[in-house]
Every structure is written in C-alpha cells, then in structure tokens.
Amino acid sequence: MAMGRRKVERQEALFITAAQLRRSQGHPFYQALNGLLAEANFDRWIERRCLPYYEQVEKRGQRSIPPGVYFRMLLVGYFEGIDSQRGIAWRCADSLSLREFLGLPLHESSPDHSTLSLTRRRLPPEVFTEVFQFVLKIAAEKKLLSGKTVGVDSTTLEADAAMKSIIRRDTGEGWKAYVTRLMQEEGVIAAEEEPSDQEIRKFDKHRRDKKVSNDEWVSPTDPDAKITKMKDGTTHLAYKAEHVVDLDSDLILAAEIRPATDADQQTLVDSVLQAEENLQAAGLEQFRIEEVAADKGYHSVQTLELCQSLGLRTYIPEPQRQANWTWTDKSPEDRRAVQGNRQRMQRRKGKRLQRLRSERCERSFAHVCETGGMRRSWLVGLTEVAKRYLLAAAAHNLGRLLWKLLGVGKPRRLQGCGGLLAAFAAGASMLHSILLTSLSRTTPNSRLGHETTCFAG
C-alpha cells in the first residue's frame, strides 16, 4: 500500500451533502448527563423561567441561544476545568462531542463568548439560584439528599483586578504616585523630581509601617474585591467563597460568594439559613438542618448562642483562650451555648463529624476551585462572580449524582478499562430510561404503560 502524503495547501469542496458531514458518536459522560437533565425536563423548565427576560417590544434580529444551551456551556466549563468564557466558547466550537451535548447542528456556529456575557447580564441572580435548587431537587427525587448534618468551610478566590491598580480612597492616588509623594516628603528626592521605577521599588521595599488597608485603598475596576491574604500566603484582591456541604451525600447545599473581609463567624448562620431555603425549594420541607460542623475559625460566643436559639447543634473546636478569660461579661445563655458545644466536641461523634467535615468540605473546594477552574475569576463584581460560581457548584452536584448513580463523576474518569465498563453501564442505564419514557408516552393508558411504570418504580 502506498504511503499517503499530507498536502500543504488543499482545495476545499464547494458543496457537501449532509450525509457526508462527520458526526460524533457523543461522549458517554455527557450522554448520561443529558439523559439526567432530560428526565427532569430541564430545558422546558428553564425556557419558561427565562421567558420574561426575553420578551421585548423589539422583534427584529436573530433569536438568542436557548437558555438550556447557555447553562450547559457553563457546566462544560466546570467539567473541562476551563475558567474563562473565551475558553469555554473555543472548547465547545472545537469538539464535536460537546456540540452533540449542547444540541447544536453541524451547520450552525457555536455561541461566542460575548453571547455568554450578554446572556449572563440579562438573567438575574434569582435564575441561577433556581437552577442550583433544581439540581438539588433532582437529588431529592433520587433519594440521595438528607440535609440533616452539614459542614461549613470557606476559601478565597482571586478577583479579576490587580494590586498595582488600587488607588487611595481619600486622595485618588495610585500606588506609584503615593510612594513618590512619600519620597518627596522624606527628602529622598527633590520636590519636582520624578523617580524611576527601580528607585520606587527600592524605597517601598525598605520603608517601615507598610500596610495596605481596605479602609484606605480600593480597586477602581472592581470595588467589590477586597485586599486579603490568600491560602498560599500572597496578597491579592479576592472574594470569599463559603460552602455548606451535606456530610451524608457529599452534595453542596449552598455556595455563597461574599466580600473577603467578612469574618467566618459573621457568615455561618446566613449560609446555613440559605442552605435550608435551598432544601425547601428542592421539596424537602419536612427535613431541616440540625447539626453544623465547622473549624475553629467559626468559633464565637455570639455565633454559638445564635445557633442554639435557632435549634442548631454546633460541633466547632474551641480555639486556645487566655488564662484570665472569664464569664463576667457574658449572659447565662452564652455560657450554656459555649459549654454545650465544648461537651459535644469531646464526644466520639464530634471528632467523627470533624473528620467528615475536613474531608468533604475540602474535597468540594478541590473539585470546584482547583479542577473546576473557579480559583481565579475573570468576572467583575460580586453579583457576576456569584452567578458563575453557583453554576459551578450545581455542576459539582450533578457530577456527584452521576457518580452515585453510574460510578462516573467527570468526563476524564472514562479512561482505561474501568472507564469503558463505566461508559457501558452509563449507556445501558440511559437507554433503559429512554425506552421507559418513550413507552410511557406512547401508551399512557394501556396495560403496557402501567406495567412499565411499575417496573420503573
């Protein structure tokens, strides 16, 4: 057989029939995910929910992308580990299997990154919250959600703003102008002299009392981002992400984005109440959160007393106190709350919940922030960052659902012999659900439909 040679220049065909177009067989993971969403009737629901935000007097122009396609592209960003919208748009345009997942025909172009930005700004935060609650409702229908014992933890997200761009709130000076003025006041340079960048860095490195406070400095590009120390010890403009994780099912019940300056003790109760609201929206009105486990950074007398008044049993380690710490300025309710938490932490159950919290809360951050591409945000503003992060948390929950149902939680898991077996199981399960759905729709009142429904139950 003669060896083929790659042509440097080639002439494209002028016409090509639809039968000659190369179609993808689809990715088994995304096929299973589409089956899960189709079973819950996600597309029709999200289209009805988003319809009021698309109804306008102006009827000209091309129709926008369906809301189901937009939210699926955000899911792709999590499962593929892509942090930017440009990367998501490029990946969806490049992959035939992802086009099959989005439901885009081959003769249509995939949505651009600007379309993703416009759609995100058009939809309010309530829609993203309801999509997150919709995923929790799917988990509740699959009997995979309890919501009785939760773990709470937080981390920092780097904002889309640089420390070099901050300005002073009082004078409006940038960092370079501020250090130049200090050099002139101390007599290092003349009043009208302009120092070089090297001289500014050298002076700024060795000057005393060098602090950057959020009360004095602000970012003009992203005022919601706050100056904070990251997990690796560096200082950046950042946000705070807080997870409330169900310790039984490993699902995220609430994913809140807050300013990085908000203390953990101030946000614990608000996040737990948001998790309870999400559970009620998922159809679990009879269940409520009873136990909360957190690390010692959440320990506060006021927080423990508030949790006790709300009927929440806390499992929070107590930090080391000073030797002269007394109860003279505390009420009897505060003392009972602290002593009750201390006694619960000394039991075997308290130590077990702390191990579960450290394992599953940290694992949720590893999935969402590290491999899910949300450690660095490319959006500006607290509201916009919260929209994207909430969908990443919803994608994490979908991955955990597929892992519990099919044994596969992410596309990269389908590798090797184990991946082939998992793909076969996913395809068989999806085919079984499709057959049941088609039979129930074609013969809703017949004996066959009744027997099929009983078999599915």
CSV table of all heavy atoms in Angstrom, one decimal, residues 187-212:
chain,number,residue,atom,x,y,z
A,187,GLY,N,12.4,63.7,51.8
A,187,GLY,CA,13.6,64.3,51.3
A,187,GLY,C,14.5,63.4,50.5
A,187,GLY,O,15.7,63.7,50.3
A,188,VAL,N,14.0,62.2,50.2
A,188,VAL,CA,14.8,61.3,49.4
A,188,VAL,C,15.1,61.9,48.0
A,188,VAL,O,16.2,61.7,47.4
A,188,VAL,CB,14.1,59.9,49.3
A,188,VAL,CG1,14.9,58.9,48.5
A,188,VAL,CG2,13.9,59.3,50.7
A,189,ILE,N,14.1,62.5,47.4
A,189,ILE,CA,14.2,63.2,46.1
A,189,ILE,C,13.7,64.6,46.2
A,189,ILE,O,13.1,65.0,47.2
A,189,ILE,CB,13.4,62.4,45.0
A,189,ILE,CG1,11.9,62.3,45.4
A,189,ILE,CG2,14.0,61.0,44.8
A,189,ILE,CD1,11.1,61.7,44.3
A,190,ALA,N,14.0,65.4,45.2
A,190,ALA,CA,13.6,66.8,45.2
A,190,ALA,C,12.0,66.8,45.0
A,190,ALA,O,11.4,65.8,44.6
A,190,ALA,CB,14.3,67.5,44.1
A,191,ALA,N,11.5,68.0,45.2
A,191,ALA,CA,10.0,68.2,45.2
A,191,ALA,C,9.5,67.9,43.8
A,191,ALA,O,8.4,67.4,43.6
A,191,ALA,CB,9.6,69.5,45.7
A,192,GLU,N,10.2,68.3,42.8
A,192,GLU,CA,9.7,68.2,41.4
A,192,GLU,C,10.4,67.1,40.6
A,192,GLU,O,10.1,66.9,39.5
A,192,GLU,CB,10.1,69.5,40.6
A,192,GLU,CG,9.4,70.8,41.2
A,192,GLU,CD,7.9,70.7,41.2
A,192,GLU,OE1,7.4,70.0,40.4
A,192,GLU,OE2,7.3,71.3,42.1
A,193,GLU,N,11.2,66.3,41.3
A,193,GLU,CA,11.9,65.2,40.6
A,193,GLU,C,11.0,63.9,40.5
A,193,GLU,O,10.2,63.6,41.4
A,193,GLU,CB,13.2,64.8,41.4
A,193,GLU,CG,14.0,63.8,40.8
A,193,GLU,CD,15.3,63.5,41.6
A,193,GLU,OE1,15.5,64.2,42.6
A,193,GLU,OE2,16.0,62.5,41.2
A,194,GLU,N,11.1,63.3,39.4
A,194,GLU,CA,10.3,62.0,39.2
A,194,GLU,C,11.3,60.8,39.3
A,194,GLU,O,12.2,60.7,38.5
A,194,GLU,CB,9.7,62.0,37.8
A,194,GLU,CG,8.5,62.9,37.7
A,194,GLU,CD,7.3,62.3,38.4
A,194,GLU,OE1,7.3,61.1,38.7
A,194,GLU,OE2,6.4,63.1,38.9
A,195,PRO,N,11.1,60.0,40.3
A,195,PRO,CA,12.0,58.8,40.4
A,195,PRO,C,11.7,57.8,39.4
A,195,PRO,O,10.6,57.7,38.8
A,195,PRO,CB,11.6,58.3,41.9
A,195,PRO,CG,10.2,58.7,42.1
A,195,PRO,CD,10.0,60.0,41.3
A,196,SER,N,12.6,56.9,39.2
A,196,SER,CA,12.5,55.8,38.3
A,196,SER,C,11.7,54.6,39.0
A,196,SER,O,11.5,54.7,40.2
A,196,SER,CB,13.8,55.3,37.8
A,196,SER,OG,14.6,54.8,38.9
A,197,ASP,N,11.3,53.7,38.2
A,197,ASP,CA,10.5,52.5,38.8
A,197,ASP,C,11.4,51.7,39.8
A,197,ASP,O,10.9,51.2,40.8
A,197,ASP,CB,10.0,51.6,37.7
A,197,ASP,CG,9.0,52.3,36.8
A,197,ASP,OD1,8.4,53.3,37.3
A,197,ASP,OD2,8.7,51.9,35.7
A,198,GLN,N,12.7,51.6,39.4
A,198,GLN,CA,13.6,50.9,40.3
A,198,GLN,C,13.8,51.6,41.6
A,198,GLN,O,13.8,51.0,42.7
A,198,GLN,CB,15.0,50.7,39.6
A,198,GLN,CG,16.0,49.9,40.4
A,198,GLN,CD,17.3,49.7,39.7
A,198,GLN,OE1,17.4,50.2,38.6
A,198,GLN,NE2,18.2,49.0,40.3
A,199,GLU,N,13.9,52.9,41.6
A,199,GLU,CA,14.0,53.7,42.9
A,199,GLU,C,12.7,53.6,43.7
A,199,GLU,O,12.8,53.5,44.9
A,199,GLU,CB,14.3,55.2,42.5
A,199,GLU,CG,15.7,55.4,41.9
A,199,GLU,CD,15.9,56.8,41.5
A,199,GLU,OE1,14.9,57.6,41.4
A,199,GLU,OE2,17.1,57.2,41.3
A,200,ILE,N,11.6,53.6,43.0
A,200,ILE,CA,10.3,53.5,43.8
A,200,ILE,C,10.2,52.1,44.5
A,200,ILE,O,9.8,52.0,45.6
A,200,ILE,CB,9.1,53.7,42.8
A,200,ILE,CG1,9.1,55.2,42.4
A,200,ILE,CG2,7.8,53.3,43.5
A,200,ILE,CD1,8.0,55.5,41.4
A,201,ARG,N,10.6,51.1,43.7
A,201,ARG,CA,10.5,49.7,44.3
A,201,ARG,C,11.5,49.6,45.5
A,201,ARG,O,11.2,48.9,46.5
A,201,ARG,CB,10.8,48.7,43.3
A,201,ARG,CG,9.7,48.5,42.3
A,201,ARG,CD,9.9,47.2,41.4
A,201,ARG,NE,11.1,47.3,40.6
A,201,ARG,CZ,11.1,47.8,39.4
A,201,ARG,NH1,9.9,48.2,38.8
A,201,ARG,NH2,12.2,47.8,38.7
A,202,LYS,N,12.7,50.1,45.3
A,202,LYS,CA,13.7,50.0,46.4
A,202,LYS,C,13.3,50.8,47.7
A,202,LYS,O,13.4,50.3,48.8
A,202,LYS,CB,15.0,50.6,45.9
A,202,LYS,CG,16.2,50.5,46.9
A,202,LYS,CD,17.5,51.0,46.3
A,202,LYS,CE,18.6,50.9,47.3
A,202,LYS,NZ,19.9,51.4,46.7
A,203,PHE,N,12.7,52.0,47.5
A,203,PHE,CA,12.2,52.7,48.6
A,203,PHE,C,11.0,52.0,49.3
A,203,PHE,O,10.9,52.0,50.5
A,203,PHE,CB,11.8,54.2,48.2
A,203,PHE,CG,11.2,55.0,49.3
A,203,PHE,CD1,12.0,55.6,50.2
A,203,PHE,CD2,9.8,55.1,49.4
A,203,PHE,CE1,11.4,56.4,51.3
A,203,PHE,CE2,9.3,55.9,50.4
A,203,PHE,CZ,10.1,56.5,51.3
A,204,ASP,N,10.1,51.5,48.5
A,204,ASP,CA,8.9,50.9,49.0
A,204,ASP,C,9.3,49.6,49.7
A,204,ASP,O,8.6,49.2,50.7
A,204,ASP,CB,7.9,50.6,47.9
A,204,ASP,CG,6.6,50.0,48.4
A,204,ASP,OD1,6.0,50.6,49.2
A,204,ASP,OD2,6.3,48.9,48.0
A,205,LYS,N,10.3,48.9,49.3
A,205,LYS,CA,10.7,47.7,49.9
A,205,LYS,C,11.3,47.9,51.3
A,205,LYS,O,11.0,47.0,52.2
A,205,LYS,CB,11.8,47.0,49.1
A,205,LYS,CG,12.2,45.6,49.6
A,205,LYS,CD,13.2,45.0,48.6
A,205,LYS,CE,13.7,43.6,49.2
A,205,LYS,NZ,14.6,43.0,48.2
A,206,HIS,N,12.0,49.0,51.6
A,206,HIS,CA,12.6,49.1,52.9
A,206,HIS,C,11.9,50.1,53.8
A,206,HIS,O,12.4,50.4,54.9
A,206,HIS,CB,14.1,49.7,52.6
A,206,HIS,CG,14.9,48.7,51.9
A,206,HIS,ND1,15.1,48.6,50.6
A,206,HIS,CD2,15.7,47.6,52.4
A,206,HIS,CE1,15.9,47.7,50.2
A,206,HIS,NE2,16.3,47.0,51.3
A,207,ARG,N,10.8,50.7,53.4
A,207,ARG,CA,10.2,51.7,54.3
A,207,ARG,C,9.4,50.9,55.4
A,207,ARG,O,8.9,49.8,55.2
A,207,ARG,CB,9.2,52.6,53.5
A,207,ARG,CG,8.0,52.0,52.9
A,207,ARG,CD,7.3,53.0,52.1
A,207,ARG,NE,6.1,52.4,51.5
A,207,ARG,CZ,4.9,52.4,52.0
A,207,ARG,NH1,4.7,53.0,53.2
A,207,ARG,NH2,3.8,51.9,51.4
A,208,ARG,N,9.2,51.6,56.5
A,208,ARG,CA,8.5,51.0,57.7
A,208,ARG,C,7.0,51.2,57.6
A,208,ARG,O,6.5,52.1,56.9
A,208,ARG,CB,9.1,51.5,59.0
A,208,ARG,CG,10.6,51.2,59.2
A,208,ARG,CD,11.1,51.8,60.5
A,208,ARG,NE,12.5,51.4,60.7
A,208,ARG,CZ,13.1,51.8,61.8
A,208,ARG,NH1,12.5,52.6,62.7
A,208,ARG,NH2,14.4,51.5,61.9
A,209,ASP,N,6.3,50.5,58.4
A,209,ASP,CA,4.8,50.6,58.6
A,209,ASP,C,4.1,50.5,57.2
A,209,ASP,O,3.3,51.3,56.9
A,209,ASP,CB,4.5,51.9,59.2
A,209,ASP,CG,5.0,52.0,60.6
A,209,ASP,OD1,5.2,50.9,61.3
A,209,ASP,OD2,5.3,53.1,61.1
A,210,LYS,N,4.6,49.6,56.4
A,210,LYS,CA,4.0,49.4,55.1
A,210,LYS,C,2.8,48.5,55.2
A,210,LYS,O,2.9,47.2,55.3
A,210,LYS,CB,5.0,48.8,54.1
A,210,LYS,CG,4.5,48.7,52.7
A,210,LYS,CD,5.6,48.3,51.7
A,210,LYS,CE,6.1,46.9,52.0
A,210,LYS,NZ,7.0,46.4,51.0
A,211,LYS,N,1.6,49.0,55.2
A,211,LYS,CA,0.4,48.3,55.3
A,211,LYS,C,-0.6,48.8,54.2
A,211,LYS,O,-0.6,50.0,53.9
A,211,LYS,CB,-0.3,48.4,56.7
A,211,LYS,CG,0.6,47.8,57.8
A,211,LYS,CD,-0.1,48.0,59.1
A,211,LYS,CE,0.7,47.4,60.2
A,211,LYS,NZ,0.0,47.5,61.6
A,212,VAL,N,-1.4,47.9,53.7
A,212,VAL,CA,-2.4,48.2,52.7
A,212,VAL,C,-3.7,47.8,53.3
A,212,VAL,O,-4.0,46.6,53.5
A,212,VAL,CB,-2.2,47.4,51.4
A,212,VAL,CG1,-3.2,47.8,50.3
A,212,VAL,CG2,-0.7,47.7,50.9
